[in-house]
Amino acid sequence: MGTGVPSSEQTSCAKTDPQNYCPEDTGDTEAVQVTDCESPEGDRPQNERCCSNPEDSGQLMASYEGKTKGYQVPPFGWRICLAHEFAEKRKPFNANDISLSNLVKHLGMGLRYLQWWYRKTQVEKKKPFIDLINCVPLRQIYGCPLGGIGGGTITRGWRGQFCRWQLNPGMYQHRTVIADQFTVCLRREGRTVYQQVLSVERPSVLRSWNWGLCGYFAFYHALYPRAWTVYQLPGQNVTLTCRQITPILPHDYQDSSLPVGVFVWDVENEGDEALDVSIMFSMRNGLGGGDDAPGGLWNEPFCLEHDGETVQGLLLHHPTLPNPYTMAVAARLTADTTVTHITAFDPDSTGQQVWQDLLQDGQLDSPADQSIPSQKGVGIAGAICATGKLPPRGRCRLEFSLAWDMPRVMFGAKSQVYYRRYTRFFGSDGDAAPALSHYALCRYSDWEERISAWQSPVLDDRSLPAWYKSALFNELYFLADGGTIWLEVPEDSLPQELVGNMCQLRPILREYGRFGYLEGQEYRMYNTYDVHFYASFALIMLWPKLELSLQYDMALATLKEDLTWRQYLMSGVMAPVKRRNVIPHDIGDPDDEPWLRVNAYVIHDTADWKDLNLKFVLQVYRDYYLTGDKGFLRDMWPVCLAVMESEMKFDKDQDGLIENGGYADQTYDAWVTTGPSAYCGGLWLAAVAVMVQMAALCGTQDIRDKFSSILSRGKEAYERLLWNGHYYNYDCSSQPQSSSIMSDQCAGQWFLRASGLGEGDTEVFPTPHVVRALQTIFEFNVQAFAGGSMGAVNGMQPHGVPDRSSVQSDEVWVGVVYGLAATMIQEGLTWEGFRTAEGCYRTVWERLGLAFQTPEAYCQQRVFRSLAYMRPLSIWAMQLALQQQQHKKASRPIAEQNTGLNTGPKEAMAKLNPE
């Protein structure tokens, strides 16, 4: 390999190497506490201390042969050995997976989609908002993303690779950049004794570097927004612990927006000889793809001293239009460390010059000048190196940061320039990368204290199962890595004629900015509202002002119209893009011009969907209930009246209950619903009940009386038409699936209970019926499906066979399952709720290898659909249900308790942010 290290000092990657293997310690990996018991006592999951099921997630660590547990790695989270291989390799859902009967049903849609896809890709040269032809392939590699909310993200895989990039807003590149690596160099008595790239890869470039780290002696541990990678260096008596930190800080609207990540390396010497240790951080300028091809990329060193703290590093300038940016790799200079660099090298060469430079003295040459701009088709990379003294039986720390500054962005249509949120604090001139690096390296300790204060109440709660603690925090990755954008809102961008009746709209958007996240990394639409209904719990509980901002944006879009006609792919009919006084499906495609052009979704004309308007009303009241913001409620009240008036036309027989239209006219957009239905009918009654409450709060007695009358008639019709003694029928059609057991049939009750309603004087659905329906769902959709180990299937026939009447009825939707689990907890079925949700977590994170890319759906066998999806953020509804369950035991109403469940902006959700 040409490493320059004597062969006697090299180590092999052998599981049974007697020099490295400590068999008596292998079992220690189970102490990670990522298992839980199968038979909890009472109605709560049993204490995790007694959990020892060998079939649980300890399998992810079964390959680990090291003895070290790393430096201050927490007990809870998602842990995996770098040598682990997932046995199950699934494929994305495609046309080959559709049954013949369903294929016939969707033949017209398929032909229209192919025509639309060809026009989009070959004529317009754009990427389809949903590309059913080129799905993202399975890659079981992802870990915690770097970067705060809305400034772009870079995902570092659990084996250490930089492999998923979202720098241009909403647009993803799934590319592993080989030059982006950490390398360790150990020197003893002036001689290099060990030099290794900390990667298990064996690439065809940079071949002079020592690749092929032994993965059996390393593991990864994720508890978002932090992650730890522990490397035991065989034969060296040295352990490296890399801690990755991103400023995801609830109720913080400044540091949470920063496009930065920090890597803290704690190096422990278990031997009796002193060492010099160097960590080199190399980074390619760009990703090696088409954006780099024109050339003109260049690097330069920098040093920034401020308030007695010094940071040194490299700036990698990437001036490619339309969104130029500068990347900064940096290290903190202290009295105990030295920081050196190499400004430029060819990442596609053998890399011998860089390797020998580090090997010679554990440092890099540090030329002072900037590099010359790269030539067309030629790559350029740079590296920094931090070096410290490692005493016998001692520890040293080396601190790095990665920052990127893309302050001004254009979406795909390139018609308008926007400024990212962080420019409010660091300027918009494109020269902030050094300041961002300095700030991150000086503030990360404070960030960690705040993260610990936020997470500790959950992590320390011994009544909660360990898998839940991992799922709750790790699923939050999507709030930053959902193609997320957080923009400043210029004063002149808000239409005065629409703003006038909403007193808080301008202050909210001006102070907290405009927020957007994708339906999924493969379903490229911002703020898809029928899905946000589920995911919104994370936002309202952790960043409530962003939820309110999103709601104001939705209200603005509701009052607008776009009468441009277009063909919808499912039906083939022509209809307007957007009608006035109906909630839009989404706020737009980042490859077009979101916010200016809404409703990128062209499958259905969603103006006739039955759930969108109702979900807006339900979220408005829940957001009011959880924030106590009466000004927000007053602003939203006229919009709620308008959308409910639009919804009234779906009650064709005036019985107080809306009817579905005989097609897939709701979030289950391939599952036909006809007449009164459990899902949409339940959402309707819940929304009507909420209108009664809001009318009282807004002092409009006549409107309250109107909706009270509708509610009374609708409740009677719902029970008469849909309740069968065990559950609510799917719908009222004459089709066999009419009697299917839908896992999501209690969605209306879920939101009512989350909003402090749905029981006692505000009961809408009879509590015995709700509990019985949930028990039936647990018995059939959970326990009778896949042995009870994969969550709840969307639809189950009453004789115990999954409903295969559509391509979605026999899927498991992870976000729906988490919402179902929350509903079970609300109704006192806590054990059933945890058991139901556990199946999804185990399947996604432990069995299928889909960590940090939780899909919308998977089937019992073979396939998954839509990786990295918004809806699973609904796990935060489980946390809200647990908190409300705790508060119910107290004598005072929630609104009177200092719990953050019904307080002002500074105190909102205080329990989740104890500081």
Side-chain angles (χ1 to χ4, degrees), residues 533-537 622 679 683 686 744 746-757 765 770 815-816 818-824 826-827 871 874-878 880-881 884:
F533 175 75
Y534 297 81
S536 60
F537 284 88
R622 182 211 53 194
Y679 182 69
L683 292 174
D744 210 3
C746 296
Q749 174 70 1
W750 169 37
F751 253 73
L752 288 176
R753 291 296 292 266
S755 305
L757 307 173
F765 310 95
V770 172
V816 167
Y818 289 151
L820 168 63
T823 314
M824 291 175 169
Q826 290 169 343
E827 302 299 332
R871 206 182 314 250
S874 61
I875 193 169
W876 279 85
M878 292 180 64
L880 178 63
Q884 291 177 326

Side-chain angles (χ1 to χ4, degrees), residues 732-745:
C732 290
S733 71
S734 59
Q735 300 300 313
Q737 67 266 22
S738 172
S739 60
S740 285
I741 307 164
M742 187 190 198
S743 65
D744 210 3
Q745 63 185 268

Side-chain angles (χ1 to χ4, degrees), residues 552-606:
Y552 275 108
D553 267 336
M554 276 294 162
L556 278 177
T558 298
L559 301 177
K560 296 178 184 177
E561 64 182 3
D562 180 351
L563 299 181
T564 306
W565 282 62
R566 65 182 179 186
Q567 185 183 46
Y568 288 92
L569 301 182
M570 186 66 79
S571 64
V573 303
M574 300 291 294
V577 171
K578 168 70 174 65
R579 299 178 206 171
R580 196 185 308 276
N581 291 345
V582 294
I583 300 295
H585 173 274
D586 59 84
I587 218 72
D589 177 358
D591 202 28
D592 182 34
E593 202 63 65
W595 284 281
L596 291 182
R597 284 190 286 276
V598 303
N599 279 349
Y601 180 80
V602 295
I603 308 297
H604 293 281
D605 175 12
T606 59

Side-chain angles (χ1 to χ4, degrees), residues 19-86:
Q19 183 180 5
N20 309 326
Y21 183 45
C22 302
E24 68 277 8
D25 281 35
T26 0
D28 288 353
T29 59
E30 297 304 320
V32 67
Q33 294 187 345
V34 286
T35 63
D36 73 306
C37 295
E38 300 222 356
S39 302
E41 298 175 3
D43 65 346
R44 297 300 302 268
Q46 190 172 344
N47 193 308
E48 63 272 5
R49 288 178 299 168
C50 64
C51 300
S52 57
N53 185 349
E55 297 302 313
D56 284 341
S57 63
Q59 289 298 307
L60 301 183
M61 286 292 289
S63 300
Y64 184 61
E65 302 293 351
K67 62 181 180 180
T68 184
K69 299 178 182 178
Y71 181 73
Q72 294 186 348
V73 181
F76 297 106
W78 182 74
R79 185 174 295 190
I80 186 168
C81 175
L82 267 59
H84 183 77
E85 292 288 345
F86 289 96

